[in-house]
Amino acid sequence: MSTKSGLVFAYILEGGSGRPIGWDGVDGWRPDQGILWLHLDYADEGAKQWLVENSGIDDVSCAALMAQETRPRVLSSGDSLLLILRGINFNPGADLDDMVAIRMWFDEHRIISMRHRRVMAMDDINKSIEIGKGPASVGEFLTMAASKLADRMGDVIGDIDDGVDELEDLVLTAEGHHLRPKLADLRRQTIGLRRYISPQRDVLARLQSERVAWLNDVDRVRIREVAERTARFVDDLDSARDRAAITQEELNSVLSEQMNKTMYVLSIVAAIFLPLGLITGLLGINVGGVPGTENQSAFAYVSILLVGFALAQYVIFKRMKWI
């Protein structure tokens, strides 16, 4: 099974386990052998050619499976079902909110899933099959895929919620300027995830009502549970976004208060030294008649005068409750 051919992996599913096959096994597969699952790279020309020429899938579904940009959607035609979902991007160096799409097509005997970037939920199903705990039917595969995607979403959204809690605690105690980039990154991540997860919630809600023969009542109950979890994720992201906005306002208020205190101190210092600077400026002009020029003790007298003047200003400001 070479990834250069566009085939990431393929199985004939048999009651929870699976027999791995290559392109030869795919071409020779018959429905009486078991359920066929192909996991393909839609960017590979070999996978595209097989999908168009040999899969037997209608043109609309083929175009949706190979599209460069897509969004969550569900489309049924007879006993076949096209489902496009998104998952958290856990690939190295990628942003979590840059979600990856998994495109899936189902009928009673076949499952075709396509991706370009690695989708960890599909790898999870692959590992479950290897240990004999994989899906035993097409409907169970669908519900397992949706559940695995939701599980990984839940972990990330839980971390976001914890991050907001931490920033709320730190905003009044830590240095505000260091919290700004963290808070901005958290808000960006929250907004990005919600933009992708919100349509997925609607797709899963609609999926429950799709009438295909191989989707039984138990599968529909599981899909409803995943849809409700996804709806809670959207609510959690809304809450995190609102809390982050409030935290941002509180942080701006703290920074503004710190700036006001700093400016107030500088104003007091300027008010004390302004008259002192005026006196020293007058005594330093190069014109005749400046008192004390011939007196050796004049500098000491002037210094004492300036200190006394400053102390007098301090007392006055204190009584006026300026400091």
Side-chain angles (χ1 to χ4, degrees):
M1 293 183 295
S2 172
T3 56
K4 293 181 180 179
S5 67
L7 183 63
V8 183
F9 47 75
Y11 286 97
I12 294 178
L13 302 180
E14 303 167 339
S17 61
R19 176 164 54 89
I21 58 174
W23 277 121
D24 292 339
V26 172
D27 293 334
W29 169 82
R30 300 185 313 275
D32 58 3
Q33 293 177 323
I35 298 170
L36 176 66
W37 175 31
L38 286 79
H39 191 48
L40 307 175
D41 182 353
Y42 69 80
D44 187 272
E45 292 301 324
K48 291 180 179 179
Q49 182 179 0
W50 180 88
L51 192 68
V52 173
E53 298 178 359
N54 303 104
S55 67
I57 300 176
D58 62 274
D59 294 341
V60 174
S61 297
C62 282
L65 290 171
M66 296 185 296
Q68 291 294 325
E69 298 293 335
T70 187
R71 59 178 291 149
R73 62 182 292 195
V74 58
L75 177 66
S76 63
S77 176
D79 275 344
S80 66
L81 180 75
L82 172 69
L83 179 63
I84 300 176
L85 300 176
R86 286 187 176 271
I88 301 295
N89 190 352
F90 289 101
N91 292 297
D95 293 331
L96 293 176
D97 54 327
D98 182 21
M99 302 185 75
V100 292
I102 179 67
R103 303 108 185 273
M104 295 176 284
W105 182 90
F106 306 88
D107 68 10
E108 188 176 359
H109 303 289
R110 287 189 302 170
I111 303 163
I112 300 174
S113 59
M114 304 192 75
R115 58 81 168 153
H116 180 50
R117 293 177 293 180
R118 186 178 182 184
V119 180
M120 297 301 179
M122 294 295 103
D123 291 346
D124 292 341
I125 297 177
N126 183 22
K127 293 175 182 177
S128 297
I129 292 173
E130 289 177 351
I131 62 175
K133 296 183 179 180
S137 66
V138 175
E140 191 173 340
F141 181 98
L142 190 156
T143 59
M144 182 177 289
S147 180
K148 295 291 185 182
L149 291 170
D151 289 342
R152 291 186 176 271
M153 283 182 191
D155 294 338
V156 173
I157 293 172
D159 291 340
I160 289 176
D161 203 44
D162 292 340
V164 174
D165 289 340
E166 182 181 358
L167 289 175
E168 285 176 336
D169 294 336
L170 292 176
V171 70
L172 297 177
T173 58
E175 183 65 35
H177 297 286
H178 298 303
L179 297 180
R180 269 184 167 175
K182 294 181 181 179
L183 188 57
D185 184 66
L186 193 63
R187 293 184 67 184
R188 177 188 60 79
Q189 193 177 83
T190 301
I191 293 170
L193 286 175
R194 191 197 185 284
R195 184 173 67 249
Y196 289 120
I197 295 177
S198 180
Q200 188 148 310
R201 169 196 58 186
D202 301 333
V203 166
L204 290 170
R206 179 184 167 189
L207 182 59
Q208 304 171 52
S209 60
E210 293 293 339
R211 293 299 172 185
V212 286
W214 45 265
L215 203 60
N216 59 39
D217 292 338
V218 175
D219 295 330
R220 296 181 192 281
V221 170
R222 292 173 178 170
I223 292 171
R224 181 163 59 249
E225 176 63 25
V226 176
E228 291 175 355
R229 288 177 61 194
T230 306
R232 288 197 298 270
F233 292 158
V234 175
D235 293 340
D236 290 342
L237 288 172
D238 286 337
S239 175
R241 181 189 58 188
D242 294 340
R243 289 166 56 202
I246 294 173
T247 303
Q248 180 71 61
E249 294 176 0
E250 184 66 26
L251 178 59
N252 292 337
S253 177
V254 170
L255 293 175
S256 177
E257 184 177 354
Q258 291 175 350
M259 180 63 70
N260 290 337
K261 288 180 178 179
T262 302
M263 296 303 298
Y264 183 77
V265 171
L266 292 176
S267 299
I268 294 297
V269 172
I272 292 175
F273 281 92
L274 184 62
L276 301 182
L278 176 62
I279 294 173
T280 55
L282 287 174
L283 294 177
I285 58 177
N286 295 320
V287 296
V290 176
T293 55
E294 303 298 331
N295 189 338
Q296 297 294 326
S297 302
F299 178 77
Y301 294 149
V302 171
S303 298
I304 294 172
L305 175 64
L306 293 176
V307 171
F309 194 83
L311 290 175
Q313 285 183 291
Y314 178 80
V315 171
I316 293 172
F317 291 163
K318 193 73 172 177
R319 289 182 177 179
M320 295 177 68
K321 296 183 179 179
W322 287 7
I323 55 177

